[in-house]
Amino acid sequence: MSSIMEQLLAENAGSLNSLIPGSIVKGTVIEIRDNNVVVDIGGKSEGVVPASEFADVSEIQIGDEIEVYLEKAEDRNGAPVISYDKAQQKKNWETIVAECKEGSVMPGRVKAKVKGGLIVSMGIDAFLPASQIDVQPPKNLDQYIGQTYDFKILKINLERKNLVISRRELIEEQRNEKRRALLEEVKPGDVRRGVVKNITDYGAFVDLDGLDGLLHITDMSWGRISHPSEVLKVGEEIDVMIIEIDRERERVSLGLKQCTPNPWDSIEKKYPVGSKVHGKVVNLVQYGAFVELEQGVEGLVHVTELSWTKRITKPSDVLKIGQEVDAVILGINKEEQKISLGIRQLEQNPWEMVRHNYPVGARVHGKVRNLTTFGAFVELEEGIDGMVHVSDMSWTRHINHPGEMLKKGDEVEAIVLDVDADQQRIALGIKQTQDDPWDEIDRKFHIGDIVTGKVSKIANFGAFVELADEIDGLVHISQISEERVEKIKDVLKLGQEVTARVIKIDKDERRIGLSIKAANYDPAQLQAEISAYERVRGPSSERSSAPATMSTSTGGDFANLGDILDNL
């Protein structure tokens, strides 16, 4: 009896001694439940393994012998804590340590997402950093869960018993092989399918299945584009043409527009000069509007070609981007890929009727639209202006600025002096609406006449005095006073009424000279001055025989009296 008991104790002692925490033990499946599997590991110990630790729990049957990892001999209920998954990982870890090394390639299934990357089951749990998942770091890691891939072992940590793996390195190695093969194979002119990998301000990088090529913005479209994102987006598949290959630097230049015919090759036949076209405004600048006639073909409507009559300073005043317009082809420069368009040519040029509507000599009416330093622009009809030069504003007054006679908005009457339809110019004259008072100047004024008038303008050299019929006479600074005058404004004021003597009349130059200081000279005084002057000049003077009277206004009298008084 005692021998039987000793035998049983010895068997139990051996069984108990084998249940060491951290060891792998064999057990028998004795029950399969909904969420776990009950395993007898001997020593009258039964542990529970979660069903999730089995790849397919339906393949487990009662009576199957499996290996489990003993985490604890007993929990608080006296049952052992076991794990089927950890047992497999421990065995696999030992196999990996024995058979694999860093750089080896192993398959694995993505198990879960964790902070910074993914957990991949490779017999053991390995860590896949997010930066090592793909060439381009993915935005959504959930898409990889449950997927099986090949991975490269980057690091084996014996202390922590874990692996750091990479899928990216395998992809890059495959891409390098494909890139080398493509560089040997492709040639300029080939058309390849690629995926837009990245977009920059100057172009886009296209992945040609391992070989990245640059698609410059100028090679994307035959037409105008401001940014590559207008025609491409990341991830889009496109056909591109190989333009240039640098095998040493492993660089390829690509073209997208080259896959389609160049519309400029037959531009002159498709858009003959003078033909009417339809297009869409795609850009507005200070000097004009760009109109797209078709993909890759644009024409420029210069601001001067927008209207015959409207004064347009910038195209945005009459056009907007996206607006559809009709135009006329004015010119084509195939080499520079430029087309000149005109919108105003769709209507008749009103200047073609100007000679008929405004013949030279016609009396017209209009409103002063604008004043410049040299004249005034008078609107005769919408878009048709005539210009009155300052010299054609008055027969008698010396006008420095048109603002002295006119202001913006004034209604005026004028005579058409000249018409230049080609240059779109009409010359007008206001003074021509009246008779020229200088035609009868000999009847109105004589040398020696005493006249009165008001000071109308003061200059450094003298003062202008307005006489009858709005004729201005000039009093030179030397003819104001017997005393020396330094500043005219010290002795004369605007609007001041003065009395003067006519001493010069120059009909050709349309000038009348006046003398205030000689206004009070009587004939005897004036004769004495003339005699004194003659004596000073001597008997050989050309003017010694000049008459001493002031009855008529001849050139000699004019010069004599004016020069004498200036000298005296």
Side-chain angles (χ1 to χ4, degrees):
M1 185 72 174
S2 60
S3 62
I4 295 173
M5 289 295 293
E6 291 174 356
Q7 184 179 355
L8 290 172
L9 288 170
E11 291 176 355
N12 287 333
S15 177
L16 290 172
N17 288 335
S18 66
L19 299 180
I20 300 172
S23 63
I24 295 177
V25 298
K26 292 183 179 182
T28 304
V29 176
I30 61 174
E31 185 180 356
I32 300 175
R33 301 172 183 170
D34 291 338
N35 297 320
N36 49 50
V37 175
V38 181
V39 180
D40 180 4
I41 61 172
K44 296 183 178 180
S45 297
E46 297 177 354
V48 176
V49 178
S52 60
E53 293 193 9
F54 298 94
D56 189 354
V57 74
S58 64
E59 296 180 354
I60 303 299
Q61 297 182 2
I62 294 174
D64 286 350
E65 188 176 80
I66 62 174
E67 289 181 327
V68 294
Y69 178 78
L70 181 61
E71 297 186 53
K72 291 183 181 180
E74 294 182 350
D75 61 10
R76 59 185 178 180
N77 296 322
V81 178
I82 60 177
S83 171
Y84 174 78
D85 185 62
K86 289 184 178 180
Q88 298 301 311
Q89 291 205 37
K90 184 175 182 181
K91 290 194 299 180
N92 291 335
W93 173 255
E94 293 170 352
T95 301
I96 288 172
V97 171
E99 300 179 1
C100 298
K101 59 183 179 179
E102 292 178 355
S104 300
V105 178
M106 292 181 60
R109 182 177 62 88
V110 180
K111 183 177 179 182
K113 179 175 70 172
V114 294
K115 184 178 180 180
L118 299 170
I119 297 298
V120 178
S121 176
M122 308 175 69
I124 67 168
D125 286 348
F127 178 60
L128 175 62
S131 62
Q132 297 297 321
I133 294 175
D134 207 335
V135 177
Q136 294 290 333
K139 296 181 180 179
N140 180 19
L141 299 183
D142 292 329
Q143 61 181 316
Y144 296 97
I145 296 176
Q147 302 297 320
T148 300
Y149 306 100
D150 285 335
F151 300 93
K152 185 176 184 179
I153 298 175
L154 296 182
K155 186 175 182 180
I156 301 175
N157 193 323
L158 297 176
E159 293 181 2
R160 297 184 178 182
K161 294 183 179 181
N162 65 10
L163 298 179
V164 178
I165 59 176
S166 171
R167 176 172 173 261
R168 174 180 175 175
E169 286 202 4
L170 291 179
I171 294 174
E172 288 180 339
E173 289 175 2
Q174 294 170 359
R175 285 171 58 86
N176 288 338
E177 292 178 5
K178 289 181 179 180
R179 180 169 61 251
R180 285 190 290 271
L182 279 172
L183 283 170
E184 294 296 327
E185 172 186 329
V186 297
K187 59 184 181 298
D190 288 352
V191 176
R192 294 277 177 163
R193 191 76 171 168
V195 178
V196 179
K197 184 177 180 180
N198 189 27
I199 293 177
T200 67
D201 290 338
Y202 56 85
F205 289 94
V206 180
D207 180 7
L208 302 177
D209 194 18
L211 177 63
D212 285 350
L214 173 61
L215 174 59
H216 197 268
I217 186 172
T218 57
D219 290 311
M220 290 184 179
S221 172
W222 293 112
R224 175 201 305 269
I225 59 173
S226 301
H227 195 272
S229 58
E230 295 177 16
V231 294
L232 298 175
K233 59 183 179 181
V234 175
E236 180 182 2
E237 289 191 6
I238 57 173
D239 288 327
V240 289
M241 180 178 288
I242 308 295
I243 298 177
E244 188 177 352
I245 303 171
D246 186 341
R247 289 186 169 85
E248 292 183 2
R249 302 170 69 182
E250 295 187 348
R251 292 184 179 178
V252 177
S253 297
L254 306 175
L256 179 62
K257 69 181 184 182
Q258 288 80 359
C259 295
T260 59
N262 184 352
W264 288 90
D265 290 342
S266 58
I267 200 71
E268 293 168 329
K269 293 182 179 179
K270 191 167 186 180
Y271 300 104
V273 173
S275 61
K276 180 180 177 182
V277 292
H278 185 79
K280 181 173 65 175
V281 178
V282 292
N283 193 23
L284 295 173
V285 292
Q286 187 68 32
Y287 54 85
F290 287 93
V291 178
E292 184 181 57
L293 305 181
E294 63 176 85
Q295 182 68 32
V297 178
E298 292 179 8
L300 171 66
V301 183
H302 195 269
V303 65
T304 58
E305 302 296 345
L306 290 172
S307 174
W308 292 114
T309 57
K310 292 181 180 178
R311 302 171 190 89
I312 300 172
T313 57
K314 51 184 179 179
S316 57
D317 291 339
V318 293
L319 297 174
K320 58 184 179 181
I321 293 178
Q323 179 180 348
E324 294 191 1
V325 296
D326 290 326
V328 174
I329 303 291
L330 302 182
I332 293 179
N333 188 327
K334 185 176 179 180
E335 288 71 24
E336 297 183 10
Q337 295 191 356
K338 293 180 179 179
I339 297 179
S340 299
L341 301 176
I343 290 180
R344 67 180 184 176
Q345 286 75 11
L346 297 170
E347 301 175 350
Q348 184 181 8
N349 182 359
W351 281 91
E352 294 176 356
M353 296 298 294
V354 162
R355 290 188 182 278
H356 177 268
N357 295 336
Y358 304 101
V360 173
R363 187 178 292 264
V364 294
H365 293 79
K367 182 183 293 185
V368 176
R369 184 181 62 82
N370 194 23
L371 298 177
T372 67
T373 56
F374 53 84
F377 286 94
V378 177
E379 185 177 52
L380 303 179
E381 62 179 77
E382 185 179 5
I384 303 294
D385 285 350
M387 200 274 285
V388 183
H389 194 269
V390 287
S391 62
D392 289 313
M393 290 186 177
S394 174
W395 290 115
T396 57
R397 294 183 57 185
H398 179 75
I399 299 171
N400 293 320
H401 191 278
E404 298 173 18
M405 279 195 66
L406 301 172
K407 64 179 182 295
K408 198 172 180 178
D410 282 353
E411 294 283 347
V412 297
E413 185 178 56
I415 300 296
V416 177
L417 304 181
D418 185 44
V419 176
D420 188 340
D422 295 334
Q423 297 296 322
Q424 296 188 359
R425 293 175 183 172
I426 299 177
L428 302 177
I430 293 178
K431 71 181 184 181
Q432 286 80 1
T433 60
Q434 301 172 346
D435 294 333
D436 184 358
W438 281 91
D439 290 342
E440 298 182 352
I441 199 70
D442 295 340
R443 291 194 303 103
K444 296 179 179 179
F445 298 98
H446 305 87
I447 289 180
D449 286 354
I450 300 296
V451 295
T452 59
K454 291 183 179 179
V455 177
S456 60
K457 188 183 299 182
I458 294 177
N460 292 331
F461 54 83
F464 289 94
V465 177
E466 183 178 345
L467 306 175
D469 296 326
E470 296 185 343
I471 293 178
D472 283 348
L474 172 63
V475 181
H476 191 268
I477 189 171
S478 64
Q479 298 301 316
I480 294 176
S481 173
E482 299 288 353
E483 304 293 332
R484 181 177 178 81
V485 177
E486 296 291 341
K487 293 183 179 180
I488 298 175
K489 62 181 181 180
D490 291 340
V491 293
L492 294 178
K493 306 296 181 185
L494 286 176
Q496 178 180 344
E497 188 168 301
V498 296
T499 300
R501 186 184 295 274
V502 177
I503 61 172
K504 294 183 180 180
I505 298 178
D506 189 335
K507 193 172 182 180
D508 295 332
E509 293 293 329
R510 307 174 76 86
R511 292 178 182 175
I512 293 180
L514 303 177
S515 175
I516 294 177
K517 70 179 183 180
N520 297 323
Y521 286 180
D522 58 28
Q525 290 176 308
L526 192 55
Q527 182 61 51
E529 297 292 358
I530 293 173
S531 299
Y533 179 66
E534 293 298 333
R535 289 195 297 273
V536 171
R537 295 184 63 190
S540 62
S541 172
E542 295 179 359
R543 300 190 180 186
S544 60
S545 57
T549 60
M550 302 171 291
S551 58
T552 60
S553 59
T554 64
D557 291 338
F558 168 76
N560 286 345
L561 186 54
D563 292 340
I564 289 169
L565 291 178
D566 286 345
N567 235 339
L568 296 177

